[in-house]
Amino acid sequence: MLRNGLSENTMALSNQPNTFTMEKLPKLTIPVIIGIIILIIIVAKSSITIKAGEAGVLYETFGNGVVTDEPPLGEGFHIIAPWNDVIEYEVRQQELFEKMKVLSSNGLEIQIDASAWYQPVYSDLGKLHQERGENYLERVIQPAIRSAARSVVGRYTPEQLYSSKRDAIQDEIFEETKKILEKQYVQLNEILVRDVTLPNTIKDAIERKLRQEQESLEYEFRLVTAEKEAQKVRIEAQGKADANKILSASLTDKILQDKGIDATLELAKSPNAKVVVVGSGESGLPLILGNN
């Protein structure tokens, strides 16, 4: 009995520390788990990853707001204060398609299809966000392009726009738009005029006029060619006449006789049978008699 009692007391005493540990363990683990969760939330809230081709504008809630005196956050992982915010912008070259209806110099409505290649100025991204906002495309770039297009197209007639001035208006729209955007924290890289659409009646009239001008130029070319050919013939005929006149003036009876004698001597050398009668021809030239 004593032995059994001692063993029961010993077991009871040995179980007491385990009970104490099991009771205290949850009380110590819960705060730790809560602390880890809070730390994870803080880290998640304080970290940001900037994707390729983008940059971030930092907004300090308890500071001066948008940070404009420091470079924007570049690509990659960043840690910020959890109460601050980051606004991401695409800083790669982007393309804007525009269909614009503008008036020519004589008041006719012209449609222009154009593309603009643009991107924000990286170093001024904070100022762009602070002064223009995330929708700077609608606030700044589109109005600038439309204003420049109206100004440039208004200098030309539909005929000029349809035929020879398309490259010129493209360059002029680019230069004027670039000038407008110079202080808007936006970089304009290129303006491409894809198409110039005229009213059908005007387009048909211009095409007829161009065909007539082409036909007229071809006719004038044929006339000029014929005149040049006739002039060439006249010059050749005049040259022959002048040559004959000079030759006739230089031929005397003595020269003709000498020429006749030389010719007779050459013929006398021929193997054909003939009779040469000296001094029997006109002007005393030899007379040649052959079997024919």
Side-chain angles (χ1 to χ4, degrees):
M1 293 293 293
L2 180 60
R3 184 177 298 175
N4 292 336
L6 289 173
S7 60
E8 289 177 1
N9 291 333
T10 303
M11 292 179 63
L13 290 174
S14 63
N15 289 334
Q16 285 181 0
N18 293 336
T19 305
F20 174 78
T21 304
M22 294 299 294
E23 290 177 354
K24 293 295 183 180
L25 184 59
K27 294 180 180 179
L28 295 175
T29 305
I30 291 174
V32 172
I33 294 175
I34 293 174
I36 293 174
I37 293 174
I38 293 174
L39 181 62
I40 292 173
I41 293 174
I42 292 174
V43 171
K45 180 66 177 176
S46 303
S47 65
I48 184 171
T49 301
I50 305 296
K51 296 185 288 294
E54 296 185 352
V57 176
L58 180 62
Y59 180 86
E60 296 179 338
T61 304
F62 299 109
N64 296 323
V66 179
V67 176
T68 59
D69 56 352
E70 295 180 8
L73 301 178
E75 300 174 4
F77 183 80
H78 301 272
I79 297 293
I80 63 172
W83 51 83
N84 290 339
D85 193 13
V86 173
I87 302 92
E88 297 182 44
Y89 279 82
E90 185 174 1
V91 293
R92 286 176 292 207
Q93 177 174 278
Q94 303 165 66
E95 186 172 16
L96 167 67
F97 294 95
E98 275 291 295
K99 286 183 176 290
M100 299 170 285
K101 290 187 176 181
V102 293
L103 299 180
S104 64
S105 61
N106 55 0
L108 291 175
E109 187 177 77
I110 311 295
Q111 178 174 302
I112 293 181
D113 297 345
S115 294
W117 294 348
Y118 70 94
Q119 60 192 108
V121 178
Y122 188 88
S123 59
D124 293 330
L125 199 58
K127 294 179 181 178
L128 176 67
H129 179 71
Q130 185 180 57
E131 299 180 22
R132 303 294 179 263
E134 295 179 70
N135 57 340
Y136 67 93
L137 176 63
E138 294 82 6
R139 288 185 174 184
V140 176
I141 297 179
Q142 285 181 331
I145 293 175
R146 291 168 183 172
S147 175
R150 285 194 297 269
S151 174
V152 171
V153 174
R155 304 170 193 161
Y156 296 99
T157 64
E159 291 86 351
Q160 292 173 322
L161 297 173
Y162 184 78
S163 55
S164 60
K165 296 298 183 180
R166 186 169 301 186
D167 291 339
I169 66 170
Q170 176 174 289
D171 295 339
E172 291 180 27
I173 292 174
F174 171 74
E175 292 298 333
E176 293 208 12
T177 307
K178 188 176 181 180
K179 190 182 300 181
I180 296 173
L181 297 177
E182 187 175 0
K183 297 181 180 180
Q184 301 299 322
Y185 316 117
V186 176
Q187 175 182 319
L188 182 68
N189 297 333
E190 192 64 78
I191 293 286
L192 303 175
V193 175
R194 299 179 177 274
D195 191 25
V196 176
T197 305
L198 306 178
N200 290 332
T201 54
I202 301 300
K203 181 180 177 181
D204 294 341
I206 292 174
E207 289 178 349
R208 285 196 302 270
K209 181 180 178 181
L210 291 176
R211 283 197 300 270
Q212 292 172 357
E213 290 177 352
Q214 185 64 32
E215 292 172 357
S216 176
L217 290 174
E218 291 177 358
Y219 181 71
E220 291 179 3
F221 176 77
R222 289 197 296 270
L223 288 179
V224 171
T225 302
E227 177 61 28
K228 288 182 178 180
E229 188 64 27
Q231 185 177 2
K232 177 183 176 183
V233 172
R234 286 196 297 270
I235 291 174
E236 291 177 352
Q238 184 64 42
K240 291 179 180 179
D242 293 342
N244 290 334
K245 185 182 296 184
I246 294 172
L247 183 60
S248 298
S250 63
L251 292 178
T252 62
D253 293 342
K254 179 63 177 174
I255 292 175
L256 290 175
Q257 287 178 356
D258 290 341
K259 293 290 184 181
I261 293 171
D262 292 338
T264 303
L265 293 175
E266 290 296 326
L267 289 173
K269 296 176 183 179
S270 173
N272 298 328
K274 60 186 71 67
V275 177
V276 178
V277 182
V278 179
S280 299
E282 294 181 2
S283 303
L285 292 176
L287 179 64
I288 300 173
L289 301 177
N291 20 6
N292 293 326

